[in-house]
Amino acid sequence: MPQMQLPFLLFVTVGALVVFIARSLNIALQRRRQARKHGCQPIVQHPSNGVVGKTYDDEQKQAWADGELNEWARRQYGRVGSQTYEVRTLHERMIITSEPENYRVITTGLDEWVREERRPGQPFFGVSILNSNGAAWRRIRDLITPMFKRAELDENIRDFKIFVDRMIALVPRDGTTIDMQPLMRKLFLDSSTEFIFGQSVDTLRDSTTRSQDFIAAFNRATAGAGKRLRPTSRLAKLTANIMPDRAWRADCKIVHDYVDDCISQHRASVQSSEKRGQRYVLIESMSQAVPDPIELRFQLVQIFSLARETAAMGFSSVLFMLARNPHYWTELRAQALSLGEDHPLILERLKELPLFRHTVLETFRLHSPVTRNRRQAACDTVLPLGGGPDGTQPLFVLKDTVIWVDKYRVLRDPKVWGDDIETFRPSRWENRRSSWDFTPFGMGPRMCPASQLVVSQCIYLLFRLVREFEAIENRDSCLEYVEAALMCFENVVPLKLQWLLHFSIFNERISKLLQDRRTIGVDPSKLFEKALKDRNDVKITGVIPRPKDGGAFIRFSHPADVTAESVEQRLYRYLEEKDTRPWWNPFRHTRARLVRGRPWVEDLFRPPCSCLKVEFAPAGGPETPVVSEEQLYGIFRPYGKLLEITPQPADSKDLPKYSIIHFSREKADAIMARNCLHGAVIPDESLGADSSLARLKISYEWGKSKSGAFREWLMSHPRIVLPILIALGGIITVSIFDPIRTSFIKLHITGTPNFLDNKVYAWFASNATRLLTFTRRHSNEDAMGAIWEDRKQNIEQIQKWLLESTDTFIVVQGPRGSGKRELVVDQALKHVKYKLVIDCKAVQEARGDTATIDAIAKAVGYKPVFSWVNSFSGLLDLAAQGATGMKTGFSQTLDTQLDNILNNTATALRQVTLDQRSKDDKDASIPDDAYLEAHPEKRPTVIIDNFLHKSQDSTVIYDKLADWAAGVTSGNAGHVIFLTTDVSFSKSLGRALPDRVLRQISLGDSPPEVSKRFVINHLDAYSDDLDNDGQPTDVSPSQTRKDLGELDECISSLGGRLTDLEFLARRIKSGESPKEAVREIVDQTVSEVLKIFILGPDQETSSASSPGSEKRAWTSQQAWVLIRELANAPEGILRYNEMLLNPAYQASNVDNVLQSLEQAELITIVSSNGRPHSIKPGKPVYLPAFKLLTGDKVLQSRLDVALLTEQMKSETSSIEKNEMELRLLDQLGSRPYELRSRYRWLVGKLAASQAKVEDCERKIAGLKRVMSGDAGA
């Protein structure tokens, strides 16, 4: 039987799964067809919907903590680019919208959009108007709405007058400062309880104990219901219905009993035929329509929860705005006095006061009591807006989707309210009716039925106040309401210095030390300003140094909409992220906490410790208050880890009561807790947050500390511990890796054992061709012989300098292709045994720190180099910092690694010289430094090639090399030769050796006769010395050529640049004549110039057109003007100042453009007397290339057209500016005599610019004919 059941169960399971999948697919297809039918598009997703990074909930909670939730929500629309977007969190999926059209559809679609079922709040609110839907909601709505008719509103205004009179009697008439918000709360609390329950709680007078208990229980019950209605997850929503909350249910019972008594009293008075006179009471009207007392109770509780704070908050905002705009108070008073006092105030008369109504509405626009509405889709439906990337297409919404309507954004929409949305301007309501753009009380069927009552009460109250008082004055410290708070910083100065305060002579010095940021390294005011640099409304008002406690107090002010707790969180996060640690205590970062009490700032000599005695002084509650251990733990734990809480012994009769708090780690934790909590008031948990149980008095308790003494000693003596740890790490590194790396560098300098360096292999490689072919081949040395003979003096000069002991640099400067490296390495240092070549080009062009380290390590032979370890150490350091809040120091910067490599290289150079010393030398016994100075011929030579290559990108590498080279030469570890093409090398090297004269050799182009000999020698090099029959001959290839007579003419146009001469020789050797070879070289140069300088991307378009291309600092027109002028200049030399005055260079920095072209080797700038004097081509071959370019009429016409077009744009812009100024002058009417000269000057400028434009057009027309082939027309 069991064997038969298994296939059956499997069949049923598979069948159910197939049905489920088919049904799901069918629903999905139906939804897709419906979405296509209405033209719906996908909704924009919020960027935080991904898995990585902060979620929407995290950002929302942070904005709430920072006191800027509404502004944060408004910024999200600009972030996503749409007024409707979707958010996906861990426990729900919701849509956020601020479109008024969507709000209209959601509000009017009662069957499609419903309120969510909120069972956790039903024990308190029951089923009422705010948590019901469908027929139940309509029945309650139809019951409540008629009760706010115009007649009842007039009666309410008359009853409201009684409480307004009581409130006005409490306002001082002598100009004393008063906080009006508490009075507003009492006023509307009294009036709302009278209106709803028929009996007031009389908070403006002496209220009964039961009324006070009712209000306190109602506040706690409402807060508890709010927490249950806002779960953070589905599990929290489920447990809210299951987990018992006895305290909350006890508060609910107090409220319900009070309301039930009011209902019973009313019904008893009705049965006994008692009447309340002419007053309108809501409970009377509702009792007739709702016979069920339980349902009536829930309806009254819901209405009272909405009425108790809404009007008070709204009218407090009205006074807040009028205090900052007192001129409106004057206008309101004038209107109120003009109305007279003969007739009672009813709604008809209040309509005659439009400014009063506009003032109230404008305040509700800026400070709406409710900024968001939440609804849920009861079925699949469609919203008119929200689809597509810009949110302008229809949006298909699935069933059970939650949607938030952002009314705060609607009330601040510039398209509706104008650009001055943050300005308080009641006049914007003139000739304007309430529409779907004005939503403080909602719109449509779900609009608040008491909205007219609230507005009418606010208008009446404002009318009474402006008639009673002449003016309103803002007594806040700034235009916006601000509050003052105190922030405590610790670990600002060394805590161990507090013993110096025992001597009076040190008090003033310690105070100055605290203010000296360069000495201490931590400035609390600077940290505070950096953490809140984007909040200009939070300002420091004072600094109180506390060297005795190792910290300071910062007094600051903040507006009312920014809580002090949010400032504390911002500062706390900033200090955690920046990991601010003073140099004298790297084990602990600087902390800051908000002061919640009244700190006792004293200068007594009471050294701090990690143990606190907390006394509980009376604070309006019991005479002998006692705070529980649970409360003390919650209060003191945020300031540090607690080891123990010791209560007062039971048999002790000492008053006040106290407890002992033991902090487990640092005495700094106890200091911070004492400074922040001394004088703080502890609320009574049974009475709510507004109650007072005890005031804390905190002092240090010596002799009872339980923290580890050794650990405390280590943390308190960073000057001893830190050097020990660093020394241990350094010993390990130096003793293992540094000797190995130094040995590899020495091996790289002295020559690695290599088969290619074997003498037998070297002899065979040099003679293999001759042995096999039985002929003699010339080497490249024969080709370069003419060059070296011409530069023999330079070679000998370098060799002579290397035998001297002067500690300075040798610099060989010359253009690219002038043979600098061959001159130094192959000739001057031919017989130098130990040399090290560092090519800066490979190092400078390396991408990233890792590649840079690899490049320079390879150049000097630094092994092993673990460049990847730096990235891994950085990740490890970052992970440790996130976990512990402090850096481990594993990672190293690029500067540190470069210093390590270069220092090891300097050590290796020194050892190479000292290794050459023999015991038999006569000076073998002298010190190492003396030996190095006495034997300059034995020092190795360092050749730094391509120095300052692409130095405009970064000079870090070159600064490091210059400083290191200065140390090498000054320490007699070696000679240093710099090879560079940059003429400004003296600036960089002069900083490294400011008191030394650099030894310089400048290389240029070879003379014509030397160039000719180089070409001829190059033709004879690598020849076989065989005739056509294969027989040996003594005739060289240059002697057989009959066209070498053209060399003189060709070399004069080609110049003496070695790279160009070698290229010429190779082309001649391949069979071309000298003229043909030069023509080909010039043509190739023309192509390069066109591609690089003229036809390439300009400065404005290079980055956009090709992401990998380098940005040019010049335009094609500027390069063409320079080429054209150099081609037409005598001898190809142009005066520098001519280009400064050229129109093509007027719109840019001429010097920067010319310097960029010089670095690109298009030109060479010749200086005279320290200033630029003339300009010539960057290479000799460029001059014939320039002339060839300017000889191309079509190309010249094309580029001249572009140049003239730019000039026309410039002149047209000048014409427009002059015409604008003339129009301004014409608006003056008759021209004053003083402006006639200006008028004539403008007209002359217009005429001159127009003439230039016409001239440019004529030239462009002629050039276009040339381009089209009509040059002869």
Side-chain angles (χ1 to χ4, degrees):
M1 186 67 180
Q3 294 180 353
M4 297 178 61
Q5 290 179 352
L6 184 61
F8 176 74
L9 293 177
L10 181 62
F11 174 77
V12 172
T13 304
V14 173
L17 182 62
V18 171
V19 171
F20 174 76
I21 295 175
R23 185 174 180 274
S24 301
L25 291 176
N26 184 33
I27 294 175
L29 291 176
Q30 290 180 1
R31 288 174 171 174
R32 189 174 182 180
R33 286 194 294 267
Q34 188 176 358
R36 286 182 177 180
K37 176 182 177 181
H38 294 87
C40 299
Q41 296 293 327
I43 191 173
V44 177
Q45 299 292 323
H46 192 271
S48 64
N49 288 348
V51 178
V52 181
K54 286 188 175 182
T55 64
Y56 185 86
D57 282 345
D58 295 335
E59 296 181 6
Q60 190 177 37
K61 291 176 182 177
Q62 189 60 55
W64 176 272
D66 293 341
E68 53 179 16
L69 177 62
N70 291 327
E71 287 298 324
W72 171 84
R74 188 168 64 164
R75 290 195 298 268
Q76 303 310 303
Y77 300 106
R79 185 177 176 186
V80 301
S82 174
Q83 301 304 314
T84 304
Y85 59 91
E86 185 180 55
V87 173
R88 295 180 181 178
T89 63
L90 294 177
H91 57 89
E92 69 177 344
R93 169 186 175 188
M94 55 187 174
I95 295 174
I96 314 295
T97 184
S98 63
E99 294 284 358
E101 184 64 20
N102 287 346
Y103 181 53
R104 183 188 63 80
V105 172
I106 294 171
T107 306
T108 56
L110 300 179
D111 296 329
E112 296 179 348
W113 298 96
V114 298
R115 293 183 180 272
E116 294 179 273
E117 183 180 2
R118 301 196 169 186
R119 293 182 180 177
Q122 287 187 2
F124 181 58
F125 292 115
V127 179
S128 55
I129 190 171
L130 289 184
N131 57 11
S132 58
N133 298 294
W137 174 84
R138 289 185 177 89
R139 184 179 63 82
I140 300 173
R141 174 76 179 194
D142 296 339
L143 171 67
I144 295 178
T145 302
M147 298 180 183
F148 293 92
K149 297 181 295 184
R150 180 176 301 275
E152 281 76 5
L153 292 180
D154 288 333
E155 293 178 8
N156 181 270
I157 292 297
R158 287 193 294 269
D159 297 337
F160 187 55
K161 177 179 180 298
I162 301 173
F163 301 100
V164 173
D165 293 338
R166 296 176 185 174
M167 185 274 296
I168 292 178
L170 298 177
V171 180
R173 304 296 180 118
D174 57 354
T176 305
T177 302
I178 183 174
D179 186 359
M180 293 294 292
Q181 190 172 28
L183 285 180
M184 293 301 105
R185 288 183 174 179
K186 293 180 179 180
L187 168 65
F188 285 99
L189 187 59
D190 290 356
S191 64
S192 61
T193 52
E194 177 72 21
F195 171 72
I196 296 173
F197 303 121
Q199 56 185 18
S200 174
V201 293
D202 286 335
T203 57
L204 290 171
R205 300 189 297 183
D206 295 332
S207 58
T208 62
T209 304
R210 190 184 183 198
S211 298
Q212 295 177 0
D213 294 341
F214 165 69
I215 296 301
F218 194 93
N219 293 335
R220 294 193 298 269
T222 304
K227 293 180 181 179
R228 295 164 67 89
L229 292 175
R230 292 190 299 269
T232 57
S233 64
R234 298 182 186 272
L235 179 61
K237 184 182 295 185
L238 179 62
T239 57
N241 298 320
I242 302 175
M243 300 298 292
D245 191 344
R246 296 179 180 178
W248 179 68
R249 291 186 180 272
D251 292 331
C252 294
K253 187 177 185 306
I254 294 174
V255 175
H256 292 166
D257 291 344
Y258 183 88
V259 178
D260 290 342
D261 289 346
C262 293
I263 296 173
S264 300
Q265 293 176 11
H266 163 70
R267 291 187 172 176
S269 64
V270 171
Q271 293 177 359
S272 61
S273 301
E274 295 181 5
K275 295 185 178 180
R276 295 178 178 267
Q278 298 298 324
R279 291 185 302 143
Y280 177 81
V281 180
L282 184 63
I283 193 173
E284 295 180 358
S285 301
M286 295 191 65
S287 296
Q288 300 174 5
V290 183
D292 185 5
I294 303 300
E295 181 182 358
L296 179 59
R297 174 225 293 167
F298 284 136
Q299 300 300 336
L300 293 175
V301 168
Q302 182 73 80
I303 294 174
F304 178 67
S305 68
L306 299 176
R308 66 188 183 96
E309 288 286 350
T310 304
M313 293 169 54
F315 194 78
S316 297
S317 300
V318 171
L319 295 181
F320 180 87
M321 300 307 298
L322 290 176
R324 284 142 184 84
N325 300 274
H327 58 282
Y328 286 116
W329 185 276
T330 305
E331 296 181 19
L332 291 169
R333 180 173 172 80
Q335 282 195 13
L337 294 177
S338 65
L339 195 60
E341 301 181 1
D342 300 334
H343 303 283
L345 287 175
I346 60 176
L347 292 180
E348 296 300 330
R349 299 207 69 192
L350 292 178
K351 281 187 174 182
E352 301 176 11
L353 307 171
L355 183 58
F356 284 81
R357 181 177 180 82
H358 297 166
T359 301
V360 173
L361 295 181
E362 178 68 1
T363 302
F364 284 169
R365 184 189 69 83
L366 290 172
H367 304 283
S368 176
V370 180
T371 59
R372 280 188 169 190
N373 278 349
R374 181 182 173 112
R375 294 290 185 271
Q376 187 176 34
C379 59
D380 295 341
T381 184
V382 176
L383 288 177
L385 298 173
D390 55 354
T392 59
Q393 303 297 320
L395 175 65
F396 186 77
V397 182
L398 301 180
K399 180 183 178 182
D400 296 332
T401 300
V402 175
I403 188 165
W404 283 94
V405 180
D406 189 354
K407 298 194 290 186
Y408 182 84
R409 169 67 175 79
V410 176
L411 294 172
R412 279 171 168 77
D413 190 352
K415 298 178 182 178
V416 179
W417 307 101
D419 295 332
D420 57 341
I421 54 175
E422 300 294 342
T423 303
F424 179 72
R425 184 167 59 84
S427 60
R428 74 173 79 243
W429 288 90
E430 296 177 358
N431 301 323
R432 179 183 180 87
R433 295 182 178 179
S434 298
S435 63
W436 291 97
D437 300 324
F438 184 69
T439 57
F441 301 101
M443 295 295 291
R446 288 189 179 268
M447 184 176 180
C448 176
S451 59
Q452 290 299 324
L453 174 61
V454 174
V455 175
S456 300
Q457 287 181 342
C458 291
I459 293 175
Y460 174 78
L461 179 56
L462 182 60
F463 178 84
R464 290 290 307 279
L465 287 176
V466 298
R467 292 188 65 169
E468 292 287 340
F469 300 96
E470 294 183 1
I472 186 172
E473 181 181 347
N474 177 33
R475 294 288 177 86
D476 295 334
S477 58
C478 64
L479 187 62
E480 292 296 330
Y481 180 71
V482 298
E483 295 180 351
L486 204 62
M487 193 74 67
C488 179
F489 282 79
E490 64 98 10
N491 205 26
V492 174
V493 295
L495 188 60
K496 290 300 180 181
L497 292 180
Q498 54 89 18
W499 65 270
L500 295 174
L501 299 175
H502 186 62
F503 307 95
S504 59
I505 59 175
F506 291 102
N507 286 335
E508 184 178 358
R509 297 184 181 180
I510 292 297
S511 298
K512 291 182 179 179
L513 185 66
L514 176 62
Q515 299 173 5
D516 189 359
R517 183 173 179 267
R518 295 173 297 177
T519 304
I520 298 301
V522 177
D523 187 353
S525 59
K526 293 294 184 182
L527 294 176
F528 189 95
E529 292 172 355
K530 290 180 179 179
L532 294 111
K533 59 183 178 181
D534 58 337
R535 296 305 301 255
N536 297 327
D537 49 0
V538 180
K539 299 179 180 179
I540 297 177
T541 59
V543 179
I544 306 174
R546 293 292 294 164
K548 188 173 79 74
D549 295 335
F553 288 104
I554 297 291
R555 184 183 292 109
F556 65 99
S557 63
H558 61 94
D561 59 342
V562 178
T563 62
E565 288 76 11
S566 66
V567 176
E568 178 189 23
Q569 292 184 10
R570 288 279 296 272
L571 183 58
Y572 182 84
R573 291 197 310 273
Y574 175 83
L575 295 177
E576 286 289 334
E577 293 172 358
K578 297 301 182 182
D579 197 24
T580 306
R581 301 170 186 264
W583 59 267
W584 38 264
N585 189 2
F587 297 100
R588 188 178 181 90
H589 60 269
T590 301
R591 294 190 305 165
R593 287 289 186 179
L594 182 66
V595 176
R596 288 170 166 79
R598 298 176 181 177
W600 183 21
V601 181
E602 38 80 21
D603 58 351
L604 301 175
F605 187 72
R606 294 181 177 179
C609 64
S610 59
C611 187
L612 297 177
K613 181 179 180 180
V614 183
E615 297 179 338
F616 314 125
E623 293 183 359
T624 57
V626 177
V627 182
S628 65
E629 293 185 23
E630 292 82 0
Q631 277 187 284
L632 289 176
Y633 180 86
I635 294 170
F636 284 88
R637 181 59 182 87
Y639 299 93
K641 183 90 168 73
L642 300 183
L643 185 64
E644 184 60 80
I645 299 178
T646 305
Q648 183 179 2
D651 57 346
S652 175
K653 297 182 179 180
D654 296 340
L655 294 177
K657 298 290 186 179
Y658 66 88
S659 291
I660 305 298
I661 307 292
H662 302 270
F663 284 88
S664 63
R665 295 189 304 169
E666 297 265 351
K667 65 176 66 175
D669 296 336
I671 295 173
M672 177 69 80
R674 179 179 181 270
N675 288 335
C676 294
L677 296 177
H678 181 82
V681 177
I682 306 302
D684 191 343
E685 293 181 343
S686 61
L687 299 179
D690 296 333
S691 61
S692 299
L693 173 63
R695 187 180 300 275
L696 301 183
K697 296 177 62 178
I698 305 176
S699 59
Y700 298 115
E701 187 75 1
W702 278 92
K704 297 185 179 181
S705 177
K706 298 185 178 182
S707 59
F710 178 74
R711 180 175 54 191
E712 183 179 357
W713 185 90
L714 290 178
M715 301 299 293
S716 303
H717 294 78
R719 294 189 177 185
I720 299 176
V721 177
L722 184 61
I724 292 176
L725 295 178
I726 295 176
L728 290 176
I731 289 172
I732 295 174
T733 303
V734 172
S735 61
I736 297 178
F737 287 106
D738 282 358
I740 298 175
R741 290 162 175 166
T742 303
S743 300
F744 273 106
I745 296 174
K746 286 175 56 179
L747 201 61
H748 181 77
I749 296 173
T750 57
T752 57
N754 194 346
F755 177 72
L756 298 177
D757 295 334
N758 188 272
K759 295 182 178 180
V760 177
Y761 177 82
W763 177 86
F764 182 80
S766 62
N767 296 280
T769 306
R770 181 176 60 82
L771 292 174
L772 294 176
T773 60
F774 302 97
T775 60
R776 181 180 61 86
R777 296 179 62 89
H778 298 279
S779 64
N780 191 36
E781 294 294 330
D782 297 334
M784 297 292 293
I787 303 297
W788 305 143
E789 184 178 354
D790 178 65
R791 299 178 176 177
K792 182 178 181 181
Q793 184 178 359
N794 294 334
I795 296 173
E796 293 176 350
Q797 183 63 58
I798 294 175
Q799 293 173 346
K800 180 181 178 181
W801 284 338
L802 294 177
L803 296 177
E804 298 178 358
S805 185
T806 304
D807 48 350
T808 186
F809 299 146
I810 301 174
V811 183
V812 180
Q813 187 274 330
R816 189 173 301 171
S818 57
K820 299 183 295 298
R821 180 163 181 167
E822 292 80 1
L823 173 73
V824 175
V825 178
D826 298 338
Q827 296 300 315
L829 304 180
K830 180 186 297 184
H831 302 293
V832 175
K833 186 175 182 181
Y834 304 128
K835 49 182 174 284
L836 175 65
V837 180
I838 301 177
D839 190 356
C840 297
K841 182 178 181 181
V843 179
Q844 183 71 3
E845 293 180 352
R847 301 291 184 180
D849 294 349
T850 301
T852 302
I853 294 170
D854 288 338
I856 196 167
K858 182 179 180 181
V860 301
Y862 181 86
K863 299 176 185 178
V865 52
F866 307 114
S867 57
W868 56 271
V869 175
N870 191 40
S871 301
F872 178 77
S873 300
L875 294 176
L876 184 61
D877 204 356
L878 184 62
Q881 182 180 0
T884 64
M886 55 191 304
K887 294 184 178 179
T888 60
F890 292 138
S891 61
Q892 294 181 343
T893 61
L894 176 63
D895 291 345
T896 304
Q897 297 237 17
L898 291 177
D899 289 338
N900 293 338
I901 295 174
L902 295 177
N903 290 337
N904 279 276
T905 305
T907 303
L909 292 172
R910 181 185 176 90
Q911 292 181 5
V912 167
T913 304
L914 295 177
D915 289 345
Q916 301 178 53
R917 182 167 54 174
S918 175
K919 296 182 180 179
D920 300 332
D921 293 342
K922 59 181 181 179
D923 53 358
S925 60
I926 64 176
D928 293 344
D929 293 338
Y931 183 85
L932 291 172
E933 185 175 2
H935 294 278
E937 74 282 357
K938 294 187 178 182
R939 302 176 198 165
T941 304
V942 180
I943 302 97
I944 301 180
D945 194 11
N946 288 314
F947 186 70
L948 298 179
H949 172 73
K950 290 187 176 180
S951 59
Q952 67 275 10
D953 296 341
S954 175
T955 60
V956 175
I957 300 298
Y958 299 120
D959 293 340
K960 285 287 182 184
L961 287 175
D963 294 338
W964 171 77
V968 170
T969 56
S970 300
N972 297 319
H975 303 286
V976 180
I977 302 177
F978 287 92
L979 310 181
T980 180
T981 60
D982 200 319
V983 296
S984 61
F985 63 88
S986 59
K987 297 180 181 178
S988 178
L989 299 181
R991 287 193 297 267
L993 287 178
D995 55 346
R996 296 290 187 273
V997 178
L998 303 179
R999 293 179 170 178
Q1000 176 183 351
I1001 292 178
S1002 298
L1003 299 182
D1005 297 328
S1006 301
E1009 62 276 7
V1010 177
S1011 302
K1012 182 177 179 180
R1013 281 174 18 196
F1014 171 78
V1015 174
I1016 293 175
N1017 291 343
H1018 199 283
L1019 291 175
D1020 295 338
Y1022 300 103
S1023 61
D1024 295 336
D1025 292 347
L1026 300 176
D1027 58 10
N1028 296 330
D1029 298 332
Q1031 299 297 324
T1033 177
D1034 294 333
V1035 180
S1036 62
S1038 59
Q1039 295 175 351
T1040 61
R1041 298 291 295 261
K1042 299 181 180 180
D1043 52 3
L1044 294 184
E1046 303 174 357
L1047 277 178
D1048 294 332
E1049 180 182 356
C1050 294
I1051 289 177
S1052 62
S1053 60
L1054 191 63
R1057 190 66 54 89
L1058 289 183
T1059 52
D1060 296 334
L1061 293 175
E1062 186 176 2
F1063 193 27
L1064 173 64
R1066 290 178 180 176
R1067 299 191 73 91
I1068 294 175
K1069 192 173 182 180
S1070 64
E1072 296 180 0
S1073 65
K1075 289 186 177 180
E1076 293 175 349
V1078 170
R1079 189 182 306 113
E1080 292 294 331
I1081 293 174
V1082 172
D1083 290 342
Q1084 185 175 352
T1085 304
V1086 168
S1087 301
E1088 294 177 357
V1089 170
L1090 284 174
K1091 180 179 180 181
I1092 298 174
F1093 299 99
I1094 298 179
L1095 301 182
D1098 287 341
Q1099 179 181 7
E1100 295 81 0
T1101 60
S1102 60
S1103 59
S1105 60
S1106 55
S1109 61
E1110 295 184 358
K1111 188 176 180 180
R1112 296 192 335 187
W1114 66 86
T1115 63
S1116 301
Q1117 291 80 11
Q1118 291 172 340
W1120 169 248
V1121 169
L1122 196 57
I1123 291 172
R1124 186 184 62 189
E1125 297 298 329
L1126 285 173
N1128 298 328
E1131 298 182 0
I1133 299 177
L1134 187 65
R1135 287 187 300 173
Y1136 188 86
N1137 291 336
E1138 292 182 15
M1139 302 312 300
L1140 298 179
L1141 302 176
N1142 196 288
Y1145 288 83
Q1146 295 302 314
S1148 58
N1149 192 329
V1150 184
D1151 294 327
N1152 291 342
V1153 173
L1154 294 178
Q1155 289 176 7
S1156 301
L1157 290 172
E1158 183 184 23
Q1159 292 178 353
E1161 297 187 352
L1162 179 68
I1163 60 174
T1164 298
I1165 300 176
V1166 181
S1167 299
S1168 176
N1169 296 327
R1171 66 173 181 84
H1173 176 266
S1174 57
I1175 302 173
K1176 64 179 183 179
K1179 294 167 61 175
V1181 74
Y1182 277 171
L1183 185 59
F1186 292 168
K1187 293 181 179 180
L1188 185 62
L1189 279 172
T1190 55
D1192 189 346
K1193 299 301 181 182
V1194 175
L1195 177 63
Q1196 183 179 9
S1197 301
R1198 172 187 170 184
L1199 297 174
D1200 285 346
V1201 166
L1203 184 62
L1204 292 172
T1205 302
E1206 291 296 327
Q1207 293 181 6
M1208 287 179 61
K1209 290 181 180 179
S1210 177
E1211 296 298 333
T1212 302
S1213 177
S1214 177
I1215 290 173
E1216 292 177 354
K1217 292 180 180 179
N1218 295 332
E1219 289 178 343
M1220 184 179 298
E1221 187 171 355
L1222 284 173
R1223 283 194 293 268
L1224 292 176
L1225 293 176
D1226 290 339
Q1227 293 177 2
L1228 298 177
S1230 59
R1231 299 169 188 165
Y1233 175 77
E1234 293 80 357
L1235 297 178
R1236 291 180 181 178
S1237 59
R1238 179 68 178 179
Y1239 190 87
R1240 289 194 298 270
W1241 182 82
L1242 290 173
V1243 173
K1245 290 287 291 183
L1246 277 174
S1249 298
Q1250 181 62 29
K1252 291 180 181 179
V1253 170
E1254 294 175 356
D1255 182 59
C1256 290
E1257 289 180 344
R1258 287 193 298 270
K1259 291 181 180 179
I1260 290 175
L1263 293 173
K1264 288 183 177 180
R1265 287 196 297 271
V1266 174
M1267 295 171 62
S1268 61
D1270 299 334

